[in-house]
Amino acid sequence: MSGAPAYSEDKGGSAGPGEPEYGHDPASGGIFSSDYKRHDDLKEMLDTNKDSLKLEAMKRIVAMIARGKNASDLFPAVVKNVACKNIEVKKLVYVYLVRYAEEQQDLALLSISTFQRGLKDPNQLIRASALRVLSSIRVPIIVPIMMLAIKEAASDMSPYVRKTAAHAIPKLYSLDSDQKDQLIEVIEKLLADKTTLVAGSVVMAFEEVCPERIDLIHKNYRKLCNLLIDVEEWGQVVIISMLTRYARTQFLSPTQNESLLEENPEKAFYGSEEDEAKGPGSEEAAAAALPARKPYVMDPDHRLLLRNTKPLLQSRSAAVVMAVAQLYFHLAPKAEVGVIAKALVRLLRSHSEVQYVVLQNVATMSIKRRGMFEPYLKSFYIRSTDPTQIKILKLEVLTNLANETNIPTVLREFQTYIRSMDKDFVAATIQAIGRCATNIGRVRDTCLNGLVQLLSNRDELVVAESVVVIKKLLQMQPAQHGEIIKHLAKLTDNIQVPMARASILWLIGEYCEHVPKIAPDVLRKMAKSFTAEEDIVKLQVINLAAKLYLTNSKQTKLLTQYVLSLAKYDQNYDIRDRARFTRQLIVPSEQGGALSRHAKKLFLAPKPAPVLESSFKDRDHFQLGSLSHLLNAKATGYQELPDWPEEAPDPSVRNVEVPEWTKCSNREKRKEKEKPFYSDSEGESGPTESADSEPESESESDSKSSSESGSGESSSESDNEDQDEDEEKGGSESEQSEEEGKKKTKKRKKVPEGHREGSSSDEGSDSSSSSSESEMTSESEEEQVEGASWRKKTTQTSSHNLEQIMDFPTSLHVQPVSPPMIMSTSLAADLEGLTLTDSSLVPSLLSPVSSIGRQELLHRVAGEGLAVDYVFSRQPFSGDPHMVSVHIYFSNNSETPIKGLHVGTPKLPAGISIQEFPEIESLAPGESTTAVMGINFCDSTQAANFQLCTQTRQFYVSIQPPVGELMAPVFMSENEFKKEQGKLTGMNEITEKLTLPDTCRNDHVVVQKVTTTANLGRVPCGTSDEYRFAGRTLTSGSLVLLTLDARPAGAAQLTVNSEKMVIGTMLVKDVIQALTQ
Amino acid sequence: MIHSLFLINSSGDIFLEKHWKSVVSRSVCDYFFEAQERATEAENVPPVIPTPHHYLLSVYRHKIFFVAVIQTEVPPLFVIEFLHRVVDTFQDYFGVCSEPVIKDNVVVVYEVLEEMLDNGFPLATESNILKELIKPPTILRTVVNTITGSTNVGDQLPTGQLSVVPWRRTGVKYTNNEAYFDVVEEIDAIIDKSGSTVTAEIQGVIDACVKLTGMPDLTLSFMNPRLLDDVSFHPCVRFKRWESERILSFIPPDGNFRLLSYHVSAQNLVAIPVYVKHSINFRDSSSLGRFEITVGPKQTMGKTIEGVIVTSQMPKGVLNMSLTPSQGTHTFDPVTKMLSWDVGKINPQKLPSLKGTTSLQAGASKPDENPTINLQFKIQQLAISGLKVNRLDMYGEKYKPFKGIKYMTKAGKFQVRT
């Protein structure tokens, strides 16, 4: 090591502080002699009167120090220049002094008087720098002088000097901890300082000297919160982490009411939001379980802290962002923690070291609060250029974020990772797939299949890792996987990695009943190669032998005995031990061993499946962002994050008398000075007494003003709209007659009616009609397209006309996505009012055509008279092709009109978005109306939760789509179909056998059932007993290909090919259910 | 907090050490060397290494390891951020931050480090203030200094440290008052095999070079501030003003600084300006594999794409590649297996392509991984997100400054999977 010689040289110097230079180790002869000479001329240079020579000498000395060379022997010569007039020489002398004073204490004392003089200088900067050097000289004798100097500086006029005093406190403390009490007094005084310059430094001193004296913070809490934004970045970090601890001791947990939900983090996360809106009473069960706790009200001071730190998430400093993030994670109510995700994700663009730290923290957070990072899933995708350690952390986060919805995307991403050149990373990916498979039962088979395919990989490490993971997965459901175990058994010939061999042997032994023929043969092979195996493999061979002996002693008795005798003479005593032990257990000896009767129980007891867990689980008991958290071990000086108190300590301790503030002249000065720059933040750092009332009053006034303005606007708008509506009706009537003229058949007639309640372009209803009338499937395709196009045309013209007639309010044009939708829906709603006198006609029209019919969204009892139903109309949603359009039927069963019906702020799972329907101004008693909204389910069957708001109430509702509604039909030829199918094999293919009931054996029924279950288009097909259907998922546009191969006597095979494995699996399930019912 | 700092070059020599508290022996770096050996690659050295008595936090930049020694609990990002700030400061002072430059300016470096930390806690980290305390070396000043014997250390005292705008030095004077802003956007994208976008994001920054006399107060407004999804500011920007009006209002530091970095929300579809067509086949060592890459413009808003460089890490089994580019130059390093093709400008009429064959090492089997292609490019006068600066106003000073705004789009981490 290159450090070693330098180190010893260093030591030589420090060992003899007073020694002349020839005290050096003679071994370093050459260097020593030249050093000796050079030092001599340096001394001469320092002794001259010429500043330039002195400077030259000092520069060389500093360069020596920088390189780690010992220059302590020059101390006497250097220290003489401490009073030098030349400012640079002086600075360099200071540098030297601070470095060597500790070693040459007596000589260092010579310089003290110079600094003491400096402390009295009229210039604040000289005072500060004198104090800085004085306190940096680590000489115990001057402790009293330092103490005095610090005390004096703490009440200096200049904030800069006071800052320096704050810096000096920990220096003195580390020199002499007996001074603690006096230093705490100084800290207390400086904590009361109102300048941003001092705040950071004094909190730093507080943290180093007396972090346990929380009581010192009380009076300054509000001030610190308010000053925070103006403190320099480094101070912000220290203050924020101190305040986190403070808040944990002083406030009640904002999540106490949800603590019962903790087990299911996801649910708790979403639940908490509703909780807050409804008030704590809603979680009745939880509330009842808790011993009569008061409803939680956040302390205004707690709120103040959260509010004042939030802007700092925008800081350019990663350290500040992280500090705020951990504060929110530890202190904020669950609903508010989400804000930090975006900022943390931003940090991932930074240097790789920053990424490393941030990812570690994100990994911990993502276990507890998965929902928070789900929208940013793609930001954690791995690039081939990332360093391995970053890749592995990102993988960890991706695995934590994987859930039922996004697992297909995650797995697809993992598939590309497996082909990476970085083999460590590939191994980690396989582990990750294993964890996904254990966590998400639905994809277990898919994962397992994928892993089995990896077994034929050429890289042995990959194979070995896969075997280990497969072993763990198989343990969870061994019965169905005889095939895989057989496959693994074959691999024993090739795989050399001991861990993998051992895993295979264990598996065969454990499930030898599933592979009764193969197991003995494997044992035979292993017995042959026993002596050449690694120890862990040998142990497993013995294990396998024992298990086989117990289950199939006829075939394996001899083999077992052979293995056991080989093991008996093994070099490793563990193996010898194991062999002896096993022999006694399984081979009944003449003593009639009591244990051997239980051997079967001992060896073949059912074993619980291993739990694959994140290594980041439970790391959050360390304060996030801390060194201890990163290392997952307590670092020296780590301050434990206290638990929330049961009862809130008295909040009045933080009250500060008002006069004290206004009296302070210092503050006034600062105000004046800062006004031009910080006028905006001044309001915040103003008198603290306002902090008490501020949050409430502010929010109150906010809500008031918003509601006022809101209602005002809406009323005026509705006035306008009333007029518009009239005109609109006029326009639409003519429009309707036009449409009417184009209708051909009676059945066809109904469709446009359906369309009228629906949205603009609606081939969806067509296609659903086609599914109800399965006779006309293939020929109706053309018609459908045709029909759709003319319908599109008409709606376009209609909306165009309307635009001219109605003079739309400009606000509508601003919305870029939805204008056609808005117009047509309002048009549709009005048309309905005109033409359909009986609103109950509506469902009868649509229910047979749509696969699921009308479903209830809100029961009229729960909705206080408002009943809401919905139906998946299967029409493409005009605003956004990725959205599923949902028709919603409102009817008012109450006595009073329901006003201002709209969708309230939806709280949606990741990726899901909603295109709201335009607000329904009023719904008279007994009336019904419809609206169309679009939901982008993001190719998942997660429910979209949102609120239906009326002017007075809000109802929580959710729409969960059956998987078949997440796609739209695609038309393709048989050849195209086959080509695409060829591309989607392997993990993407799901095949299931079924028996068709008698009722379900003719073409029409089958086609109808399939198309009702899933929104797929039929693909023309040559053979009579094969049915093919194709579609694309709405969001990602991935193909979904369905093949039903019906054989005589009802046997059939259903195959779904889709990149979206989850959708495929679920579709298979749904279709089979529909067909076999 | 921070005890000591060691600067270590890539060959493992400690060429500078600085202690802010008691001296920590440099033998502590042995733990670091151990970790370095284990990591094989420089970028894989863990940034935090625990040792029995200390913790080593390091950053790796410009082929130098900056290793900070700490003894007690401290937020790791605090130290890492500080180390990066040190590197940035060096760069600001000397133009480049490299071992020879640091060695040549060791005294200035030492003085700067001394000012940046006091007892391990950051003191003055704003380069505006540091430059007032310790003048950066320039050729002219070095000459003058050697003749007159004057020094690098500022003779007037740093008043900026005391001011309420700690990032701006006082008494700034220019004869030409100018303010330039560069809007630079980077596209981070992963494109999959078939050419569809797996993920794409736009990250932008506004770098400013402001040379204005006195204490100007600037406001900068955008035509479409809603585009900015997530922003982070230089401390000079007034946050309240941004929150309420979406206007950047600030007193700028003197000289170069990064005013704002932003992220354009993922909901807006990112226009991908280039496409890469590739067909890369490897065959077993007996025959040659085919290799072909074509680069072409996609959504460029009528601008030319310049400075295109294609790099790709080939699998280890590749022995050599014989390729002919239709334009530009290419190199293949048989040791690191790095293929790099400097394309230059893309002419939409004649798309640049690189064709040829690859040969594998004798006996090596066909690699199952396909290389990823990394792309760099530049598009001048275009902010791909469509962000536009509306106007820049100055208050507080009387003169009329010269203002300029430049847009540029670059590839960030732009990767094509094959």
Side-chain angles (χ1 to χ4, degrees), chain B residues 128-147:
Chain B
N128 254 286
I129 291 175
L130 281 170
K131 281 185 176 168
E132 226 178 319
L133 288 165
I134 297 137
K135 298 252 164 62
T138 59
I139 296 172
L140 181 69
R141 192 171 296 127
T142 330
V143 173
V144 171
N145 283 358
T146 41
I147 295 166

Side-chain angles (χ1 to χ4, degrees), chain A residues 842-900:
Chain A
V842 184
S844 69
L845 282 175
L846 267 172
S847 52
V849 295
S850 178
S851 57
I852 31 159
R854 246 162 103 152
Q855 297 201 354
E856 189 169 75
L857 193 58
L858 186 66
H859 190 260
R860 66 188 158 88
V861 177
E864 296 177 357
L866 177 70
V868 187
D869 290 350
Y870 69 97
V871 79
F872 290 98
S873 60
R874 293 195 169 178
Q875 302 163 347
F877 187 70
S878 55
D880 180 345
H882 297 314
M883 288 190 166
V884 178
S885 78
V886 182
H887 284 216
I888 300 186
Y889 304 92
F890 301 95
S891 58
N892 185 354
N893 299 322
S894 68
E895 305 289 298
T896 48
I898 294 170
K899 285 193 173 149

Side-chain angles (χ1 to χ4, degrees), chain B residues 168-184:
Chain B
R168 187 176 178 86
R169 60 192 180 97
T170 45
V172 186
K173 270 212 178 81
Y174 288 103
T175 42
N176 294 325
N177 288 297
E178 25 185 42
Y180 297 109
F181 293 87
D182 289 357
V183 180
V184 182

Side-chain angles (χ1 to χ4, degrees), chain B residues 105-144:
Chain B
N105 296 291
V106 71
V107 178
V108 178
V109 165
Y110 222 71
E111 283 169 336
V112 169
L113 287 176
E114 180 75 26
E115 289 302 331
M116 287 184 87
L117 285 181
D118 179 16
N119 193 36
F121 191 77
L123 190 63
T125 50
E126 285 295 334
S127 81
N128 254 286
I129 291 175
L130 281 170
K131 281 185 176 168
E132 226 178 319
L133 288 165
I134 297 137
K135 298 252 164 62
T138 59
I139 296 172
L140 181 69
R141 192 171 296 127
T142 330
V143 173
V144 171

